[in-house]
Amino acid sequence: QSALTQPASVSGSPGQSITISCTGTSSDVGGYNYVSWYQQHPGKAPKLMVYDVGYRPSGVSDRFSGSKSGNTASLTISGLQAEDEADYYCSSYTSSSTYVFGTGTKVTVL
Amino acid sequence: EVQLVESGGGLVQPGESLSLSCVASGFTFSSYGMNWIRQAPGKGLEWVSYISSSTSIIYYADSVKGRFTISRDNAKTSLYLQMHTLRAEDTAVYYCARKKGIAVAGASDYWGQGTLVSVSS
């Protein structure tokens, strides 16, 4: 199972919106609505930001939103803030009853 | 408050075995599926294994199938990962994570802080 494809880095200025893409196949992203997104700060454990494509866990800012079209899922961060600077990973359930993560995207707040 | 605390990591030689534990608290452990997920130094996340709440469903990544065994003891609110025939590429921080919701598939909503496994001669 190959990792889902994410851009290596995305950057934006405070207040701007950025979007991170996550491209898979019909056997994972395109086949199931079990796409999730995680935020990871250096030296910390990942934190769930979006689950089941577009749902936010309690306590996660509504500046984070998820969507999916075909084999590509996206995470949008609006009103970018300094604290959003982190690594972001997507993940999807697969037809093999396994999970696959994305390659990871480093978000930089300029 | 949900807490997951991993332990058991350390330095081992290639071919050796190691057993990891994860003690859960703050939720009804027996009602949730659990995952092990790892992260090699400076690399991305890799899912390792899943076990359902009743242990009736177990899945493994191809990279560890036949070498790793996941298990749980609901009475002790603990999750385990037995690792055999370890390889250098198994070097990683290993996280235990709670599977959100009752479906087999879905996100991991709570993660432990991880335990480092280093495989080197």
Side-chain angles (χ1 to χ4, degrees):
Chain A
Q1 182 75 51
S2 298
L4 306 175
T5 301
Q6 298 181 232
S9 63
V10 174
S11 62
S13 300
Q16 287 187 331
S17 293
I18 61 169
T19 296
I20 303 168
S21 61
C22 169
T23 301
T25 69
S26 58
S27 295
D28 38 64
V29 175
Y32 303 92
N33 287 325
Y34 291 119
V35 177
S36 51
W37 290 90
Y38 303 89
Q39 176 192 65
Q40 187 179 34
H41 288 108
K44 300 294 187 181
K47 175 187 177 183
L48 178 64
M49 305 303 285
V50 169
Y51 67 96
D52 295 355
V53 176
Y55 294 89
R56 278 186 310 276
S58 174
V60 171
S61 172
D62 60 5
R63 298 185 298 104
F64 292 84
S65 61
S67 62
K68 188 184 83 167
S69 177
N71 296 338
T72 298
S74 299
L75 175 71
T76 297
I77 308 174
S78 58
L80 198 62
Q81 299 180 0
E83 68 214 48
D84 301 332
E85 187 161 293
D87 293 328
Y88 291 82
Y89 295 92
C90 60
S91 179
S92 175
Y93 184 71
T94 81
S95 60
S96 301
S97 299
T98 62
Y99 292 86
V100 60
F101 281 92
T103 50
T105 298
K106 181 177 180 60
V107 169
T108 301
V109 180
L110 301 171
Chain B
E1 177 193 8
V2 172
Q3 283 197 314
L4 298 168
V5 180
E6 304 94 336
S7 62
L11 175 63
V12 296
Q13 295 191 344
E16 292 187 339
S17 300
L18 199 63
S19 185
L20 305 183
S21 299
C22 170
V23 177
S25 61
F27 65 102
T28 305
F29 181 74
S30 59
S31 296
Y32 288 85
M34 298 292 295
N35 286 301
W36 283 103
I37 296 160
R38 68 185 181 183
Q39 186 171 34
K43 302 297 184 181
L45 299 170
E46 180 188 13
W47 173 81
V48 173
S49 184
Y50 165 83
I51 186 169
S52 64
S53 57
S54 65
T55 74
S56 61
I57 299 172
I58 288 176
Y59 299 130
Y60 296 100
D62 286 344
S63 58
V64 306
K65 198 174 296 182
R67 299 188 300 122
F68 289 13
T69 301
I70 191 172
S71 62
R72 63 189 295 163
D73 185 332
N74 287 339
K76 295 183 178 179
T77 67
S78 294
L79 176 72
Y80 307 102
L81 186 69
Q82 294 181 42
M83 304 182 294
H84 301 289
T85 319
L86 282 162
R87 307 165 180 166
E89 53 264 36
D90 296 318
T91 295
V93 172
Y94 285 73
Y95 296 100
C96 72
R98 190 181 82 168
K99 219 285 292 160
K100 180 178 177 58
I102 60 173
V104 172
S108 291
D109 58 353
Y110 286 93
W111 298 56
Q113 284 305 301
T115 186
L116 176 62
V117 173
S118 296
V119 184
S120 175
S121 55

